[in-house]
Amino acid sequence: MRANNAELNDNSPVVIDWPEKIDPETHERLVLQYAPMIKYIAARLALRLPSHISLDDLISSGMIGLLDAIKKFDPQKNISFKTYAEFRIKGAILDELRALDWIPRSIRKKTSQLEKAYTKLEKELGRPAEAEEVAHSMGLSMEEFYHLIDETKGVSLLDIDAVRRNLNEFSEAELYEILQDESSRSPFISVHFAELRDLLMRALEELPDKEKLLISLYYYEELTMKEIGEIMGYTESRISQIHTQAIFHLWSKLSHSL
């Protein structure tokens, strides 16, 4: 394997002839290059977790994901290393959170009750349920409802388990196909992925305007909750609540098809 010295300076991406064995120096430079991405992903996830969850532990798990990505990356697939590394880093952090089993049974029960309330109401109404409607259906005051939303805000991180269970039939090679360009996927993968994508897009379109804007700013523009609050004129705490409500709205739509 050869790498030009100019490609290995601190400000340039590491360019690698991936089919050959990666030497220790290049391996180290890759780790240094993508370490900031680990911290960024871990910090964004930590904002939605209880304070007792250590950011350092999340970063350590993300590092395991990065090392796994370097080891398993296949350059023959039509996908960039950055995309694959991000996929592995997030997966490793979420796996660690699941292993910690940090969500008390009482919170899981409350989350289930909220999910059922949203799903039932939205089926009856034919539209996303308003906070007041959900609170009323559960016999809660608005203060109690928002307290419940605050308690359950981190649980949505692990709802990806349902998606992963739905994808259990796919091998790691096929998961590569899900990530890569649509033109390169097998017909079966393309159809399945297109169905999931269309379902998610329809669910996003049906969100209330402020939730739709928040989702766009948080996941596409990658702004922080504080920055979004400044744009939308809400406190950071209120933005967090709106985000959790959006997740419940989306989940009530997606759960029927997963």
Side-chain angles (χ1 to χ4, degrees), residues 1-257:
M1 188 218 57
R2 292 188 300 274
N4 188 294
N5 288 336
E7 293 170 344
L8 296 179
N9 63 53
D10 291 339
N11 298 317
S12 300
V14 179
V15 179
I16 298 174
D17 187 3
W18 282 99
E20 300 180 28
K21 185 177 181 180
I22 298 176
D23 62 72
E25 180 185 356
T26 305
H27 187 282
E28 182 180 356
R29 298 304 296 272
L30 272 170
V31 170
L32 291 174
Q33 180 182 339
Y34 288 97
M37 185 166 71
I38 297 174
K39 294 179 181 178
Y40 175 76
I41 292 171
R44 282 176 67 83
L45 291 175
L47 290 173
R48 296 161 57 191
L49 296 169
S51 58
H52 69 270
I53 302 295
S54 168
L55 176 60
D56 288 342
D57 288 345
L58 299 185
I59 291 173
S60 295
S61 300
M63 180 59 70
I64 293 172
L66 174 59
L67 296 176
D68 196 45
I70 295 172
K71 178 181 179 181
K72 295 182 177 179
F73 180 66
D74 183 354
Q76 300 304 313
K77 302 295 183 180
N78 188 22
I79 180 177
S80 71
F81 176 73
K82 180 179 182 296
T83 299
Y84 183 61
E86 185 175 3
F87 178 74
R88 284 287 181 182
I89 290 166
K90 287 181 178 177
I93 293 175
L94 291 174
D95 284 344
E96 174 65 15
L97 288 172
R98 277 183 285 272
L100 289 174
D101 195 25
W102 54 271
I103 304 172
R105 184 175 300 178
S106 61
I107 298 300
R108 290 184 184 275
K109 182 177 180 180
K110 291 176 181 178
T111 302
S112 177
Q113 291 171 341
L114 266 172
E115 288 176 352
K116 290 177 180 177
Y118 270 96
T119 300
K120 179 176 181 293
L121 270 177
E122 294 183 6
K123 186 179 294 184
E124 293 173 354
L125 298 171
R127 59 168 174 78
E130 299 287 345
E132 292 79 6
E133 293 169 329
V134 180
H136 182 265
S137 74
M138 299 182 73
L140 302 174
S141 68
M142 291 310 298
E143 182 179 354
E144 291 170 330
F145 173 77
Y146 284 121
H147 179 69
L148 181 58
I149 288 291
D150 286 334
E151 283 188 304
T152 60
K153 68 179 182 180
V155 181
S156 61
L157 282 172
L158 303 189
D159 281 344
I160 196 172
D161 267 339
V163 178
R164 293 181 66 172
R165 285 195 298 271
N166 195 50
L167 296 177
N168 274 348
E169 61 196 279
F170 297 137
S171 67
E172 181 175 310
E174 289 171 323
L175 288 176
Y176 259 126
E177 290 193 61
I178 290 176
L179 286 173
Q180 68 189 20
D181 292 339
E182 187 171 351
S183 60
S184 302
R185 299 182 191 127
S186 70
F188 175 72
I189 297 288
S190 292
V191 169
H192 189 88
F193 185 78
E195 289 175 351
L196 289 175
R197 180 191 60 201
D198 292 344
L199 179 64
L200 179 59
M201 292 304 296
R202 288 197 301 270
L204 286 169
E205 284 300 316
E206 293 176 9
L207 287 178
D209 288 342
K210 63 184 177 182
E211 293 181 14
K212 193 185 305 182
L213 175 59
L214 189 157
I215 292 295
S216 176
L217 294 174
Y218 186 73
Y219 291 100
Y220 293 95
E221 301 299 329
E222 297 192 339
L223 300 183
T224 65
M225 295 290 184
K226 182 178 181 179
E227 290 169 334
I228 296 171
E230 292 172 354
I231 291 172
M232 297 180 63
Y234 293 107
T235 64
E236 184 175 354
S237 175
R238 181 72 183 105
I239 288 295
S240 179
Q241 292 171 344
I242 296 172
H243 174 270
T244 303
Q245 290 173 252
I247 295 300
F248 277 115
H249 280 142
L250 290 173
W251 185 242
S252 70
K253 293 288 184 183
L254 298 177
S255 59
H256 298 302
S257 303

